[in-house]
Amino acid sequence: MFSLFGNDERRLDSTPFYLKPSGGTEEKEIAILSLTIGEIIRQASAAGREVVFLCIGSDRYVGDSLGPLVGSMLEDSQVPYKVYGTLKDPVHAFNLKGTIKEINRQFTEPLIFSIDASLGTKEEAGSVIFKEGPLKPGKGIEKVLPPVGDYHFAGVVNYIDPLPTSQFLNDTRLYTVMMLAQAIVKVITGTLPDEGRV
């Protein structure tokens, strides 16, 4: 569904964590981020909060398929967290509000990690950004959707240039989306004790 990160907006919120999957320090960065998120999850679980991963996007466009890919990979990994949004049952612009209502009806004060594709600068393309605070889905393609999540992952699948923003849905490489999805899943499965990993 695409989020949009601009430099001014980044300064308003907490400092984001950047992970560049093609970089040489990838495994170390994944381990550091897994430890950070693992601690957030442990604190929430101790407080009786259910952990939910809300994977947003559509499998109808390569550039917007990051969320459903991550959701399906998490289900395949049999993580002990609730996962919404898969290739089979995507969460997108038409059902996002209803899904948020369902999550809030089913759980009391859930800890929600939202995941979506995003657009950024040329330097950010191919990066995973993890940040405290809600994701603003649809902003990159000028859709008004509710912000969601206590924390969020944004996979920067492409960068902004003079083309119409919607063009990026068609011009994004599947390789980039897969690489970002695999990195996010590694981070999340890295939060599990060794015996909980599949």
Side-chain angles (χ1 to χ4, degrees), residues 170-188:
N170 300 317
D171 288 346
T172 299
R173 293 189 61 208
L174 178 58
Y175 173 79
T176 301
V177 177
M178 285 296 294
M179 181 179 64
L180 294 172
Q182 288 166 350
I184 292 169
V185 170
K186 273 187 187 178
V187 168
I188 295 166

Side-chain angles (χ1 to χ4, degrees), residues 86-194:
T86 62
L87 290 170
K88 183 180 178 185
D89 296 304
V91 174
H92 44 65
F94 298 112
N95 65 4
L96 177 62
K97 289 179 183 177
T99 302
I100 293 169
K101 283 182 184 175
E102 179 188 333
I103 291 169
N104 288 323
R105 196 167 40 239
Q106 192 170 354
F107 308 111
T108 304
E109 290 188 53
L111 174 69
I112 300 176
F113 293 89
S114 49
I115 299 165
D116 197 3
S118 87
L119 302 174
T121 65
K122 195 167 187 177
E123 294 72 33
E124 289 172 329
S127 298
V128 173
I129 302 171
F130 177 75
K131 196 173 181 184
E132 185 174 3
L135 179 77
K136 295 167 186 163
K139 187 173 179 185
I141 53 173
E142 298 173 4
K143 287 189 178 182
V144 180
L145 295 166
V148 61
D150 299 283
Y151 295 86
H152 66 269
F153 290 89
V156 185
V157 298
N158 216 327
Y159 60 91
I160 304 157
D161 76 9
L163 290 172
T165 310
S166 59
Q167 184 67 29
F168 293 105
L169 294 169
N170 300 317
D171 288 346
T172 299
R173 293 189 61 208
L174 178 58
Y175 173 79
T176 301
V177 177
M178 285 296 294
M179 181 179 64
L180 294 172
Q182 288 166 350
I184 292 169
V185 170
K186 273 187 187 178
V187 168
I188 295 166
T189 56
T191 66
L192 304 174
D194 289 339

